[in-house]
């Protein structure tokens, strides 16, 4: 019974049950569930008393199921031995800052557990900025932050050493920063506590937040790398993958292996050569890759790498080895990182392919084909590729450019000529300023046998006599044809930036997040403040004109001045009463081009004329024309203003009684409408036609005018039955 009580707990541990998965779950699903459970049961986030034990079980379950080999062994043989479980249990308990296990070595006061072998990894501020940051664009770096008398650092030291021994041979850079001596570097990295672990990729620093386990550190390095670094290749997409060299201008590498997941070694190699070579991975265990294996005769017992250039049917180079090492892979890719005839797409590639001559024995001649993208140039381009493949001398480098993409370079070599067919130019660069010597091949290039023979003879002559290049020119800097991809790179950088912010918020790294949070809240405060100010401000109100220095003394109210010059609001007609107070602002000081339309009414007809007739007809006009202003004059209050206005213009009484509304001087002006121009001082008068109803119907009008222009202008207008005359009369001084 005692034996059973010991064995049963070990048999009950099931990593699939802990993670809530089935044995058919894929590696991606295992990783996704693990991340979710770790965030849920992290002791710093979960206050449950059993959170720490559950977190240990989750971590151990992922250590078994997250590794393909360990998962296969577990599925085949079952639970691990008790002693291994005890060792793992002890390893997990030393990852938390508040629950480190201090054994007897604590009383020996070790100095952060660092030995002499760690001295080669020590970083200072100058070394980090001059070496690590530039090198992080080719390989990721794993940096440990420690200090003297850091007792917590002692307990992560064994795991750190195991991770270094595993990751450093794969190509991961290792660094150690002593925060006590390198405070400036620690502030630059944004770390203020020990121990801490950082990752540096592409110049960006990422903090490691999980428990210090070897599997976690390995996964942390994989997560630092870009997502679409290696493409999965099957029978369906391998043709398009290998044929993309036309657009990418890079060779392609295929790695064949039986592991479902892409090995970290292969990802690191792809990251180191991401600017030169495209990488694809073929899983030999899938049925969708059987045609690929048969076509290229792949040995399924050892990893195989195939490198393709312009010929997608036959690999340019091949390597096969059971123990694939980083040095072998990097040397294999480095020797084949260019196409046989690469296209010059930027100045950086031009400098690498056609370097500047430094010594006589290190001459590099660049055989440049100036061609076009049209289909008519394809046979000549293919013939040039065939010629270059048969002439593999180290002193020659065959390249080509599109004349439309690199016009400055082509004009410097062809003397501003636009040839109808391709041209071949042999050149040698002499100085960084762009000075070069060159010579064009006579007869151009169309890919015929005569062209190949002529080019071969001139290259042989050049190797015997370097002075054969008798022309010199100053080459301009090449256009960057990859610049349109800047937007995509910016989007990826923004995505990584927001992902880092999300991680920092998730793990409550508030001290490091304070600058970012301050920037965000400042931007939100400015945004909402601007919206609130605009909401309470009258954006449609124009700035009133400046008053003269010595304004005449009037009875105008300054608060109501210039009210008629305001633009009408939407769905609203502003009608002001013409009184002795608003007379100056509405008529005399009316801006040029503006007209005030005045309706004459009485107290009894105010509601009928103003609301039912005048506002209905003026609403549509006021929306379209902001130069019209509307007022009304109460004839009961200002009975003498209209007669005095008409007396100032004698022509208003001229004409027959039908055409002139003022024959006999009628005193009832109710319903008359005046159009007044205060700047030019003329007016038009519209007479109503009474139909017998209470409301005023249609209008016919007659007009009169008064002007100061001394008879210099003669204008005529007509509106229904209307007539306009000129005169020399002044306006009434005001309403009486």
């Amino acid at each position: 019974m005692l034996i059973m009580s010991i064995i049963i707990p070990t048999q009950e541990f099931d990593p699939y049950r802990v993670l809530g998965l089935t044995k058919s779950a894929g590696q991606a699903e295992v990783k996704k569930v693990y991340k979710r459970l770790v965030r849920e049961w992290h002791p710093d986030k979960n206050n449950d008393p059993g959170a720490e034990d559950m977190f240990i079980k989750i971590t151990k379950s992922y250590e078994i199921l997250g590794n393909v080999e360990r998962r296969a062994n577990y599925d085949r043989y079952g639970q691990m031995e008790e002693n291994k479980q005890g060792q793992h249990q002890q390893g997990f308990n030393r990852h938390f800052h508040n629950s480190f296990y201090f054994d007897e070595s604590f009383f020996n006061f070790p100095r952060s557990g660092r030995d002499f072998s760690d001295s080669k990894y020590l970083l200072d501020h100058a070394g980090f900025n001059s070496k690590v940051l530039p090198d992080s664009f080719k390989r990721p770096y794993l940096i440990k932050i420690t200090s003297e008398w850091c007792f917590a650092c002692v307990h992560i030291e064994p795991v750190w050493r195991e991770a270094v021994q595993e990751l450093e041979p794969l190509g991961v850079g290792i660094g150690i920063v002593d925060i006590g001596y390198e405070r400036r570097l620690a502030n630059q990295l944004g770390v203020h506590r020990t121990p801490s672990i950082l990752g540096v990729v592409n110049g960006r620093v990422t903090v490691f937040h999980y428990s210090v386990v070897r599997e976690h550190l390995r996964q942390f390095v994989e997560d630092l790398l870009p997502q679409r670094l290696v493409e999965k290749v099957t029978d369906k997409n391998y043709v398009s993958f290998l044929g993309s060299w036309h657009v990418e201008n890079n060779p392609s590498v295929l790695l064949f292996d039986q592991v479902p997941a892409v090995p970290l070694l292969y990802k690191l190699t792809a990251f180191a050569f991401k600017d030169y070579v495209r990488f694809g991975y073929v899983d030999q265990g899938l049925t969708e890759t059987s045609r690929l294996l048969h076509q290229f005769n792949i040995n399924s017992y050892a990893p195989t790498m195939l490198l393709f250039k312009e010929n997608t049917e036959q690999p340019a180079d091949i390597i096969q080895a059971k123990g694939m090492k980083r040095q072998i892979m990097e040397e294999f890719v480095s020797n084949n990182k260019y196409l046989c005839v690469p296209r010059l797409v930027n100045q950086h590639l031009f400098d690498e392919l056609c370097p500047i001559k430094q010594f006589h024995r290190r001459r590099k001649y660049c055989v440049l084909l100036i061609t076009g993208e049209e289909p008519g140039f394809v046979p000549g381009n293919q013939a040039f590729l065939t010629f270059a493949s048969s002439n593999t001398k180290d002193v020659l480098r065959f390249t080509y450019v599109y004349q439309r993409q690199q016009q400055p370079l082509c004009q410097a070599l062809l003397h501003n000529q636009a040839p109808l067919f391709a041209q071949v130019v042999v050149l040698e660069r002499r100085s960084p300023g762009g000075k070069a010597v060159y010579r064009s091949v006579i007869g151009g290039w169309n890919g015929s046998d005569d062209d190949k023979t002529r080019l071969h003879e001139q290259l042989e002559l050049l190797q015997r006599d370097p002075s054969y290049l008798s022309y010199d020119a100053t080459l301009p800097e090449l256009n960057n044809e990859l610049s349109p991809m800047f937007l995509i790179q910016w989007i990826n950088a923004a995505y990584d930036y927001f992902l880092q912010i999300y991680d920092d918020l998730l793990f409550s790294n508030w001290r490091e997040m304070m600058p970012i949070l301050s920037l965000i809240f400042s931007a939100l405060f400015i945004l909402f403040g601007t919206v609130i100010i605009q909401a309470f401000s009258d954006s449609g109100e124009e700035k009133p004109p400046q008053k003269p220095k010595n304004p005449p003394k009037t009875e105008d109210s300054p608060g109501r001045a210039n009210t008629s010059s305001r633009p009408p609001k939407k769905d609203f007609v502003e009608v002001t009463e013409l009184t002795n107070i608003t007379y100056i602002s509405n008529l005399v000081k009316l801006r040029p081009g503006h007209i005030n339309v005045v309706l004459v009414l009485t107290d009894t007809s105010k509601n009928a004329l103003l609301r039912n007739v005048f506002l209905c007809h003026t609403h549509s006009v006021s929306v379209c024309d902001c130069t019209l202003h509307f007022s009304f004059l109460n004839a009961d209050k200002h009975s003498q203003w209209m007669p005095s206005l008409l007396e100032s213009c004698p022509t208003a009484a001229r004409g027959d009684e039908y055409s002139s509304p003022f024959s006999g001087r009628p005193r009832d002006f109710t319903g008359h409408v005046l159009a007044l121009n205060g700047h030019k001082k003329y007016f038009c008068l519209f007479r109503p036609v009474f139909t017998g109803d209470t409301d005023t119907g249609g209008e016919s009008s007659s007009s009169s005018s008064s002007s100061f222009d001394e008879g210099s202008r003669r204008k005529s207008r007509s509106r229904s039955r209307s007539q306009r005359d000129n005169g020399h009369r002044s306006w009434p001084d005001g309403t009486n």
Side-chain angles (χ1 to χ4, degrees):
M1 293 298 294
L2 180 61
I3 297 177
M4 289 300 296
S5 64
I6 297 177
I7 295 177
I8 287 176
T10 61
Q11 291 178 346
E12 287 182 352
F13 178 78
D14 185 1
Y16 290 101
R17 187 178 63 182
V18 173
L19 298 181
L21 298 171
T22 61
K23 291 189 176 182
S24 60
Q27 294 298 120
E29 186 178 358
V30 172
K31 181 180 178 181
K32 181 179 180 180
V33 173
Y34 164 72
K35 287 188 175 182
R36 177 176 57 82
L37 293 177
V38 162
R39 294 171 182 173
E40 179 182 355
W41 290 97
H42 197 284
D44 295 340
K45 299 286 185 178
N46 197 323
N47 297 327
D48 193 298
E52 182 175 343
D53 295 336
M54 187 62 184
F55 183 81
I56 293 175
K57 293 180 180 179
I58 294 171
T59 308
K60 181 182 177 183
S61 300
Y62 181 71
E63 187 178 13
I64 297 174
L65 302 182
N67 187 282
V68 179
E69 297 180 0
R70 293 185 180 180
R71 181 178 180 179
N73 292 334
Y74 177 82
D75 294 340
R76 184 176 303 176
Y77 303 111
Q79 179 62 40
M80 296 180 177
E81 295 83 359
E82 178 67 21
N83 55 355
K84 291 185 179 181
Q85 181 180 1
Q87 293 176 1
H88 288 299
Q89 182 85 6
Q90 182 180 357
F92 288 121
N93 289 334
R94 62 190 178 197
H95 307 316
F96 308 105
H97 296 290
N98 299 328
S99 60
F100 281 113
Y101 175 76
F102 297 101
D103 54 10
E104 296 178 357
S105 61
F106 170 78
F107 300 99
N108 295 329
F109 293 99
R111 302 183 64 181
S112 71
R114 191 169 67 243
D115 53 18
F116 292 103
S117 62
D118 292 340
S119 59
K120 64 179 180 179
Y121 303 123
L122 288 176
L123 297 176
D124 55 9
H125 184 268
F128 176 81
N129 290 278
S130 62
K131 179 183 177 182
V132 175
L133 280 183
D135 199 32
S136 65
F137 291 89
K138 296 182 180 180
R139 62 171 178 167
Y141 270 80
L142 200 63
I143 300 177
K144 181 180 70 171
I145 309 298
T146 184
S147 64
E148 299 291 346
W149 311 109
C150 174
F151 303 113
C153 302
V154 177
H155 299 277
I156 69 169
E157 190 65 27
V159 181
W160 171 259
R161 290 182 181 178
E162 292 178 3
V164 170
Q165 293 174 1
E166 178 186 3
L167 298 177
E168 189 178 19
L170 301 181
V172 179
I174 305 298
I176 297 177
V177 177
D178 194 324
I179 198 174
Y181 295 95
E182 294 295 334
R183 179 65 61 180
R184 182 182 177 187
L185 179 56
N187 293 333
Q188 179 181 348
L189 297 175
V191 291
H192 307 279
R193 62 180 182 180
T194 57
S196 297
I197 296 178
L198 308 177
V200 183
V201 169
N202 291 330
R204 182 172 60 91
V205 179
T206 305
V207 182
F208 176 77
H209 297 288
Y210 298 97
S211 56
V212 185
V213 182
R214 186 165 59 98
E215 292 295 328
H216 288 181
L217 293 175
R218 181 188 179 96
Q219 188 63 44
F220 175 65
V221 173
E222 289 194 30
D223 294 339
L224 291 176
L225 300 175
Q227 297 296 326
R228 298 181 58 86
L229 195 60
V230 180
E231 184 177 349
K232 290 292 187 69
V233 179
T234 61
D235 295 339
K236 297 180 180 180
N237 64 342
Y238 84 95
V239 175
S240 60
F241 176 80
L242 297 179
S244 62
W245 66 269
H246 291 281
V247 180
E248 300 291 339
N249 196 38
N250 289 327
S252 302
V253 173
L254 287 179
L255 173 66
F256 295 81
D257 205 344
Q258 293 182 342
V259 183
V262 182
L264 179 59
L265 174 61
Y266 192 57
K267 289 184 178 180
L268 294 172
T269 306
F271 180 74
F273 295 93
K274 62 181 182 299
D275 296 331
Y276 300 96
V277 181
R278 292 191 66 205
F279 290 84
Y281 181 75
V282 181
D283 184 7
Q284 302 182 37
L286 298 177
T287 57
E288 294 84 357
T289 60
S290 57
R291 188 172 64 180
L292 267 172
L293 301 178
H294 181 266
Q295 179 177 350
F296 298 110
N297 194 20
I298 301 300
N299 184 4
S300 59
Y301 296 100
T304 305
M305 291 184 68
L306 303 182
L307 189 139
F308 296 85
K309 294 186 177 181
E310 288 88 349
N311 186 6
T312 60
E313 301 294 333
Q314 186 69 25
D317 203 352
I318 182 173
I319 182 175
Q320 189 176 38
K322 267 194 173 182
M324 195 76 72
K325 301 297 183 181
R326 177 176 64 92
Q327 293 79 2
I328 299 176
M329 297 178 64
E330 290 185 353
E331 183 179 358
F332 172 76
V333 178
S334 179
N335 294 335
N336 299 278
K337 65 180 182 179
Y338 300 115
L339 296 172
C340 294
V341 184
R343 177 163 59 94
L344 300 181
V345 295
N346 51 42
Q347 186 65 30
H348 177 70
L349 185 60
F350 188 30
D351 295 337
E352 291 186 348
L353 295 175
C354 304
I356 301 172
K357 187 193 78 169
Q358 297 178 351
F359 303 100
H360 180 73
R361 295 183 179 180
R362 296 184 180 180
R363 289 181 179 273
K364 283 284 186 180
Y365 298 107
C366 189
V367 184
L368 179 64
L369 173 66
I370 301 177
T371 181
E373 304 176 65
E374 293 75 10
F377 291 96
V378 173
N381 298 344
Q382 189 63 35
F384 187 77
L385 174 61
T386 304
F387 180 85
S389 301
S390 60
N391 292 270
T392 57
K393 296 181 180 180
D394 186 57
V395 72
L396 299 176
R397 174 67 71 180
F398 292 87
T399 61
Y400 73 99
V401 295
Y402 287 141
Q403 184 176 359
R404 185 174 60 87
Q405 300 288 346
Q406 303 292 341
Q407 291 184 3
L409 175 66
C410 298
Q411 291 175 359
L413 296 176
L414 301 179
H415 303 286
N416 297 325
Q417 298 179 1
L420 300 177
F421 45 85
Q423 294 283 342
V424 177
V425 179
V426 183
L427 61 90
E428 180 185 14
R429 302 178 64 191
R430 293 294 179 87
S431 67
K435 186 178 180 181
V437 293
Y438 71 97
R439 191 181 185 101
S440 301
V441 178
I442 302 174
W445 178 268
N446 57 14
S448 63
D449 294 338
D450 294 338
D451 293 340
K452 294 180 181 179
T453 303
R454 192 184 306 112
L455 178 58
H456 181 73
E457 292 176 354
Q458 294 191 14
L459 293 179
E460 291 291 337
L461 179 61
L462 175 63
Q463 295 184 26
R464 294 193 301 267
D465 183 14
S467 62
Y468 176 74
L469 303 179
S470 55
Y471 299 97
D472 58 350
T474 301
L475 303 181
E477 186 173 352
L478 268 66
N479 299 329
N480 188 7
E481 300 180 19
L482 303 180
S483 57
M485 299 181 62
F486 171 77
L487 179 61
I488 300 177
Q489 297 175 358
W490 184 86
I491 293 175
N492 294 333
Y495 171 77
D496 295 337
Y497 181 75
F498 285 111
L499 185 63
Q500 182 180 4
I501 294 178
Y502 171 76
D503 291 338
D504 291 338
L505 288 174
L506 180 65
F507 291 96
S508 302
N509 196 358
W510 299 108
R511 185 171 183 178
E512 300 172 10
M513 285 294 299
M514 282 303 296
I516 299 177
L517 293 177
S518 176
L519 178 62
I520 294 175
F521 283 112
S522 300
L524 293 176
F525 177 78
I526 295 173
L527 178 62
F528 285 105
T530 305
V531 172
I532 293 174
I533 292 175
Q534 290 181 351
F536 285 96
S537 64
D538 189 4
S539 59
E541 185 176 358
E542 296 181 359
K543 184 178 179 181
Q546 295 182 356
K547 296 183 179 180
K549 295 182 179 179
N550 297 320
K553 295 182 179 180
T554 63
E555 298 179 1
D556 298 345
S557 174
R560 299 180 58 184
N562 203 20
T563 56
S564 64
S565 62
R566 297 178 182 176
K569 297 181 180 180
K570 186 177 181 181
D571 298 334
F572 176 76
V573 180
E574 184 177 5
V575 181
T576 59
E577 183 178 1
L578 190 63
T579 63
N580 56 348
I581 297 176
T582 61
Y583 181 78
I584 298 296
S585 60
N586 285 20
L587 293 181
V588 179
K589 294 185 178 181
L590 201 63
R591 287 180 293 176
H594 288 240
I595 295 177
N596 197 329
V597 181
V598 181
L599 171 66
V600 182
L601 47 78
T602 59
D603 291 335
T604 58
S605 62
K606 182 176 181 180
N607 293 335
L609 293 178
L610 184 61
R611 296 183 180 179
N612 299 338
V613 179
F614 191 67
L615 293 179
C616 295
H617 291 284
T618 59
H619 178 267
S620 60
V621 180
S622 63
V623 175
C624 302
D625 193 351
C626 62
T627 62
L628 294 179
H629 309 277
F630 302 94
S631 304
F632 67 91
L633 176 69
N634 194 331
D636 294 338
K637 298 179 181 179
H638 311 283
S639 58
Q640 299 300 323
W641 190 83
M642 280 292 295
S644 63
L645 175 66
L646 297 176
E647 289 175 0
S648 66
C649 184
T651 57
R654 193 188 318 163
D656 55 33
E657 185 178 357
Y658 180 78
S659 61
S660 178
F662 304 106
S663 300
R665 290 283 183 258
R667 295 300 178 180
D668 186 9
F669 301 104
T670 303
H672 288 70
V673 178
L674 290 168
L676 303 170
N677 190 321
H679 180 68
K680 294 187 177 181
K681 296 193 176 181
Y682 68 85
F683 68 90
C684 294
L685 179 63
F686 298 88
R687 176 178 64 87
V689 176
F690 294 96
T691 61
D693 300 333
T694 55
D695 294 340
T696 304
E699 294 183 1
S700 68
S701 61
S702 67
S703 64
S704 300
S705 65
S706 175
S707 176
F708 282 103
D709 290 345
E710 302 294 339
S712 60
R713 294 178 302 156
R714 292 285 180 179
K715 296 184 180 179
S716 63
R717 293 187 181 180
S718 63
R719 177 182 177 91
S720 298
R721 300 170 56 190
S722 63
Q723 181 180 358
R724 175 183 166 187
D725 300 319
N726 295 326
H728 290 272
R729 301 300 183 212
S730 61
W731 291 72
D733 293 335
T735 56
N736 299 322

